[in-house]
Amino acid sequence: MKINQFATITTDYHTQLIELERVGFKTNTIGAKQRLAAYLEKVYWQQQQTGSLQEQEAQLLATPTQTMASFLASKAPLTPTIFALLSLQLLGFLPWDDFDPNHPQTSRKNLGLAPIEMVTTETDVARAWYQLLTTHTRFGLTYLDHLASQGYFTQPHFRQNQQLFFNGKAQATFQTNAFHHELVYVPTDVDTDGDGLLDLIRVEITRPTSSVPVPAVYTASPYDQGTNDRYGEQLTHQVDVPLTRKQPAQHHHQPFQPLPRKAKSPVTEPATSQTLQCPPPHPGYTLNDYLLPRGFASIYAAGIGTIDSDGLQTCGDPAQTNATIAVIEWLHGDRPAFVSKNRKQAVAADWCNGNVAMTGRSYLGTLAIAAATTGVPGLKTIIPEAAISSWYDYYRENGLVVAPGGFQGEDCDVLAAETFSRRQRPGDYLKVQTAFEQELADLQQGQDRTSGSYNQFWDDRNYRNHLQQIKCDVLLVHGLNDENVKLKNPAALWAGLKDLPISKKLILHQGQHVYLNNFPSFDFTDIVNLWLSNKLYQCDNHVDQALPTVIVQDNLLPETWETRPNWLTAPQKSLPLSFNHASFHNEIEPATFKFYCQNPERWKTDLWNLADDRLANQRVTALIPHKTGTINGIPRLELTLSSSQPLGLISAMLLDYGEAHRLTTQPTKLMPNGMPLGYRWYTDNLFEFTLAQQPSAAHLIARGHLNLQNRISADQDQNLIANQFYHVELPLQPTYYHLLAERKLVVILFSTDFQMTIRGNQAITYQLQPQASRLILPWQTD
């Protein structure tokens, strides 16, 4: 195992003493060994009797042949080696299994931990103990967090339910059995169901008991009240359809005008602080569950069109954005909420300090980005993971209908139907059935699956149009192997944030469409804690300077995370492509075509198998010589080619080719319920990206798709003359990829992508001019 920590703040000795005292480790004991004994007594605070304490110390090694109890009773001096061995055991590592007790300093280095340099005086011991408290255990938490999960802060001398910071991070000092679970209804400025009333949305609150206002961590989750999976399946589109020729056209789109603010709903009864109580929630997004005992309220709202809320699901449009920020306005004190849906009695969020963060993955993180682009007051930061910044880049690509990975046939209308959970309440659904059916019809018309071009519908759902309005800080997280929300979404957002006067950080991991807050090798929860302690509590922890701009997980070595100055910044290197053939075909024998439609993973396996001739006529390949280095940015193909028909689509994959044990892109579960999130509170499973047990022949670095009629831009449909050569540029998805010299870099060029594009088995032949083919690679040589 290797631990990577980026959220540990460097502090001076005077500050360390103050903070040690704050968390109960007194600094008045004289002598190095005596101070260590006093600290151990505090660690085992439950052992009230000396005998019990000595029993605990007798279970720890001071040396490979001596227990800590025996050592403390002896006259032998404390040494760095003894402290190093003790620290590893306190952090949960097992001698002989996890590390070599004969060489604890070397073991600490191998685990990624800082060395123990000096413990000669009580001052040295205090420094070393402070370092220990901020170090991660093998269970994904700092040692102080580990103590808190055992009830350390429930001791009488600690003030209960009071905020406490250590090393710049909020500590788990709030009692989970004293949380408030409340329900309110927030009015929006939209009436999407057309009933003449502003849509109300149900908001669920879990907040700690506190004598002072606390900040809120808000997750807008359209899935939170349930989904209509069968309804979505019924609406899923047929993708085995031919590509159609588009008439030349320029799709114009008007700049978005903000929705007008509506008059506030009348309040007919005096305001109250009493709210409806709701049952404690089941474990949800475990990052929010982690933050709750540390003094951050957790807010969930499924939004318009969901159970117990009004309105319709509109899939990412300005109305959904408006409804999303209404909750922030209530938390900030700029909008009333109601105790019930009768809209008579208002309730204020007087428990909130007005500072709000938004969190969440996928659609949840997408709505966080949407909210940020409004500049809404009170929103201090967003932490979107695997999130969409333009819906066109989710469901389309360069003039083509292109599915998010694993969801062939899904589109905006399907997603709206799946998340329209009001349908699960038949009586409520009757009131809005006609309106929602019209909404679906409008979505289907606007999304335009016939052309796949960029139009007004998609421009209204492009949050990057409004980046200049972002006022909050951004901590952006994405997986480098995410083919659901593809890498263009975070890349274009990151590039657009560059010149904004906000703090922005980026974390890139090796996963697919996954959360990141339960990996013991990486201190993501600490990073978020440090970030939010500053943004929402104004803790002066210098997080903007302390955290690196970019953190990237290495794709070659497990449990290896590195800092980088930036993303998308490597110099461009032009490489000639020598394809093995000058032409390739789209059409496949009908039985094989049907088989691949039903087994797209098998199609990919056969496509990648360069020694197999089954798809030799449907692809051309090129091998690119290279040295060890890193691809940092957007690979791009420059091609001159023709189509035998007045239409065409081309697809490309860039592969790391060569048999090797590679990191899994889906995390491996290490330990169920291995990570406690607080004292007598929820737990989380521990995961890690591990080396696959079996070697693989290749790994996808990036892929891309292009409608040849949109060779200039996605909103410009151009004429295509059969058999005429055109120069085209095909950008692949952005990446950050470390490539070894002994591996092959391969480009595969083909037409239909059975996993993502429409699948019309049309008789189209594509002809290349090989001498005009190049790969433009953003390349950094190691």
Side-chain angles (χ1 to χ4, degrees):
M1 182 178 184
K2 185 178 179 182
I3 294 175
N4 303 261
Q5 289 190 247
F6 299 93
T8 303
I9 302 301
T10 302
T11 56
D12 58 60
Y13 180 62
H14 176 71
T15 301
Q16 290 179 4
L17 290 183
I18 294 173
E19 292 191 4
L20 285 169
E21 293 270 357
R22 188 183 298 158
V23 296
F25 292 100
K26 304 295 184 181
T27 57
N28 54 1
T29 307
I30 305 301
K33 195 172 179 180
Q34 291 78 3
R35 181 162 291 186
L36 177 61
Y39 288 166
L40 282 174
E41 186 174 350
K42 289 298 298 180
V43 164
Y44 297 110
W45 77 94
Q46 297 125 319
Q47 315 304 324
Q48 298 298 325
Q49 299 178 355
T50 303
S52 297
L53 174 62
Q54 290 176 342
E55 289 177 9
Q56 291 290 338
E57 293 171 344
Q59 301 307 311
L60 299 169
L61 295 180
T63 72
T65 58
Q66 186 181 30
T67 69
M68 183 58 63
S70 174
F71 164 73
L72 291 174
S74 73
K75 294 183 179 180
L78 179 63
T79 67
T81 300
I82 291 173
F83 193 98
L85 178 54
L86 171 65
S87 69
L88 289 172
Q89 297 168 87
L90 294 177
L91 293 173
F93 296 102
L94 296 176
W96 301 291
D97 288 347
D98 299 322
F99 71 94
D100 182 357
N102 293 290
H103 304 284
Q105 291 280 38
T106 301
S107 297
R108 283 183 62 92
K109 181 179 179 181
N110 294 337
L111 288 165
L113 306 180
I116 303 299
E117 296 179 346
M118 190 178 298
V119 286
T120 304
T121 68
E122 61 271 15
T123 297
D124 301 331
V125 171
R127 292 183 190 274
W129 196 259
Y130 186 93
Q131 176 182 320
L132 172 64
L133 292 176
T134 62
T135 299
H136 261 225
T137 71
R138 64 189 288 258
F139 306 110
L141 295 169
T142 67
Y143 185 53
L144 183 56
D145 271 334
H146 165 73
L147 295 177
S149 71
Q150 295 182 323
Y152 180 80
F153 288 119
T154 64
Q155 296 179 77
H157 56 274
F158 289 111
R159 298 175 64 185
Q160 303 302 307
N161 299 319
Q162 296 289 323
Q163 191 54 264
L164 187 153
F165 295 95
F166 186 85
N167 197 241
K169 294 174 280 292
Q171 299 303 306
T173 54
F174 290 83
Q175 294 179 308
T176 59
N177 60 2
F179 287 168
H180 301 270
H181 308 286
E182 300 169 319
L183 181 64
V184 301
Y185 296 87
V186 173
T188 69
D189 288 340
V190 295
D191 176 17
T192 55
D193 53 20
D195 64 358
L197 295 173
L198 298 179
D199 295 341
L200 289 179
I201 54 176
R202 170 192 173 107
V203 179
E204 296 179 355
I205 304 135
T206 302
R207 59 181 178 88
T209 295
S210 176
S211 59
V212 297
V214 300
V217 176
Y218 165 36
T219 301
S221 172
Y223 308 112
D224 200 45
Q225 296 296 323
T227 56
N228 307 308
D229 296 342
R230 291 185 63 185
Y231 192 20
E233 290 173 5
Q234 293 167 8
L235 291 174
T236 297
H237 298 273
Q238 173 60 255
V239 298
D240 301 335
V241 296
L243 182 70
T244 59
R245 182 177 181 272
K246 297 187 260 193
Q247 292 298 321
Q250 176 71 52
H251 298 271
H252 297 284
H253 34 86
Q254 301 299 319
F256 167 70
Q257 297 298 322
L259 296 174
R261 303 283 293 204
K262 302 291 183 68
K264 292 182 179 179
S265 299
V267 178
T268 60
E269 296 182 6
T272 179
S273 60
Q274 299 298 313
T275 57
L276 293 175
Q277 302 299 301
C278 61
H282 295 292
Y285 176 23
T286 53
L287 178 64
N288 292 6
D289 296 334
Y290 162 87
L291 292 167
L292 264 164
R294 290 155 179 83
F296 300 88
S298 181
I299 314 298
Y300 285 95
I304 51 175
T306 61
I307 287 177
D308 213 15
S309 294
D310 299 332
L312 307 175
Q313 273 290 3
T314 57
C315 195
D317 78 335
Q320 189 173 44
T321 299
N322 180 278
T324 300
I325 67 171
V327 177
I328 299 170
E329 292 174 328
W330 174 63
L331 294 167
H332 191 246
D334 302 326
R335 177 183 294 265
F338 296 111
V339 173
S340 70
K341 294 192 74 174
N342 67 15
R343 306 173 186 249
K344 292 182 178 179
Q345 192 167 35
V347 59
D350 51 9
W351 50 264
C352 182
N353 69 2
N355 295 333
V356 183
M358 289 191 72
T359 61
R361 173 178 62 95
S362 197
Y363 205 160
L364 290 60
T366 300
L367 293 178
I369 294 172
T373 61
T374 69
V376 59
L379 183 60
K380 301 299 182 182
T381 187
I382 59 172
I383 309 176
E385 300 184 56
I388 298 166
S389 60
S390 167
W391 286 85
Y392 185 87
D393 294 335
Y394 186 64
Y395 285 124
R396 304 288 185 270
E397 186 178 352
N398 297 320
L400 288 170
V401 174
V402 176
F407 295 93
Q408 271 282 35
E410 187 187 293
D411 218 321
C412 283
D413 60 330
V414 178
L415 185 58
E418 287 178 342
T419 54
F420 181 57
S421 56
R422 289 186 73 179
R423 192 173 185 267
Q424 298 178 22
R425 299 281 176 85
D428 186 36
Y429 178 56
L430 279 179
K431 296 184 296 184
V432 294
Q433 180 177 1
T434 300
F436 187 64
E437 288 173 351
Q438 182 59 53
E439 175 66 24
L440 280 181
D442 292 343
L443 289 170
Q444 288 160 359
Q445 180 179 4
Q447 68 195 17
D448 182 18
R449 287 185 67 87
T450 302
S451 79
S453 299
Y454 188 91
N455 58 19
Q456 186 69 53
F457 178 91
W458 298 111
D459 199 60
D460 290 342
R461 291 164 171 80
N462 185 351
Y463 308 127
R464 300 196 296 263
N465 290 336
H466 318 295
L467 295 185
Q468 70 280 0
Q469 297 187 70
I470 293 180
K471 304 295 189 296
C472 67
D473 296 332
V474 178
L475 176 57
L476 186 61
V477 185
H478 215 95
L480 287 162
N481 289 288
D482 192 342
E483 291 200 284
N484 183 318
V485 178
K486 302 178 188 70
L487 271 295
K488 184 177 180 181
N489 272 286
L493 175 60
W494 181 250
L497 296 175
K498 182 182 64 158
D499 296 327
L500 294 183
I502 61 171
S503 180
K504 49 268 187 185
K505 308 292 181 182
L506 173 67
I507 297 172
L508 298 171
H509 59 82
Q510 290 300 323
Q512 297 181 22
H513 200 62
V514 298
Y515 280 123
L516 195 58
N517 54 289
N518 45 15
F519 288 71
S521 72
F522 181 51
D523 64 337
F524 181 71
T525 51
D526 286 352
I527 289 173
V528 171
N529 191 336
L530 189 74
W531 186 258
L532 295 185
S533 292
N534 175 266
K535 308 305 174 186
L536 303 187
Y537 269 114
Q538 288 83 51
C539 177
D540 188 17
N541 56 23
H542 307 290
V543 65
D544 296 331
Q545 297 76 38
L547 285 183
T549 301
V550 177
I551 301 173
V552 181
Q553 184 186 12
D554 186 69
N555 58 281
L556 294 175
L557 300 174
E559 301 169 347
T560 302
W561 299 76
E562 299 169 337
T563 64
R564 290 292 179 262
N566 214 328
W567 187 33
L568 314 171
T569 55
Q572 303 293 302
K573 184 177 183 180
S574 180
L575 302 168
L577 291 175
S578 297
F579 286 110
N580 62 335
H581 299 293
S583 64
F584 59 97
H585 307 283
N586 177 67
E587 189 177 23
I588 302 178
E589 186 271 326
T592 305
F593 173 79
K594 182 178 179 181
F595 175 77
Y596 283 148
C597 288
Q598 297 170 345
N599 301 276
E601 275 294 322
R602 175 60 184 272
W603 163 82
K604 186 184 77 170
T605 299
D606 291 349
L607 183 76
W608 288 15
N609 188 351
L610 305 186
D612 192 315
D613 290 337
R614 268 174 286 192
L615 288 171
N617 292 328
Q618 283 73 39
R619 72 182 177 217
V620 293
T621 62
L623 176 64
I624 301 117
H626 63 88
K627 299 179 180 178
T628 297
T630 300
I631 304 170
N632 175 6
I634 304 172
R636 190 174 76 254
L637 294 176
E638 291 186 355
L639 306 166
T640 300
L641 52 72
S642 67
S643 168
S644 63
Q645 300 289 339
L647 50 78
L649 76 86
I650 57 170
S651 303
M653 292 185 182
L654 181 64
L655 300 183
D656 169 8
Y657 206 81
E659 190 165 284
H661 291 271
R662 293 178 168 88
L663 286 180
T664 58
T665 58
Q666 283 294 335
T668 302
K669 184 184 290 187
L670 301 181
M671 186 182 300
N673 304 311
M675 182 177 176
L677 304 178
Y679 178 57
R680 294 181 177 176
W681 186 230
Y682 300 142
T683 60
D684 201 0
N685 301 323
L686 288 175
F687 289 90
E688 200 65 72
F689 298 115
T690 58
L691 286 176
Q693 294 183 355
Q694 299 297 323
S696 58
H699 183 82
L700 177 66
I701 299 173
R703 74 166 106 190
H705 311 88
L706 173 69
N707 190 321
L708 290 179
Q709 288 195 259
N710 295 90
R711 54 193 178 273
I712 300 300
S713 68
D715 61 1
Q716 185 176 347
D717 304 337
Q718 293 186 299
N719 198 24
L720 188 75
I721 300 174
N723 299 313
Q724 180 171 314
F725 281 92
Y726 295 91
H727 177 79
V728 299
E729 293 188 3
L730 172 56
L732 307 185
Q733 291 294 327
T735 190
Y736 193 102
Y737 196 85
H738 191 193
L739 189 68
L740 296 177
E742 56 264 31
R743 306 264 185 88
K744 298 176 181 177
L745 188 61
V746 173
V747 170
I748 303 180
L749 191 65
F750 55 101
S751 183
T752 298
D753 185 330
F754 281 77
Q755 294 180 310
M756 291 187 177
T757 68
I758 59 172
R759 302 183 292 221
N761 197 26
Q762 293 153 281
I764 306 174
T765 297
Y766 300 93
Q767 192 77 28
L768 286 165
Q769 289 183 352
Q771 69 277 13
S773 300
R774 306 189 71 79
L775 172 65
I776 310 301
L777 206 59
W779 182 257
Q780 298 170 180
T781 303
D782 287 358

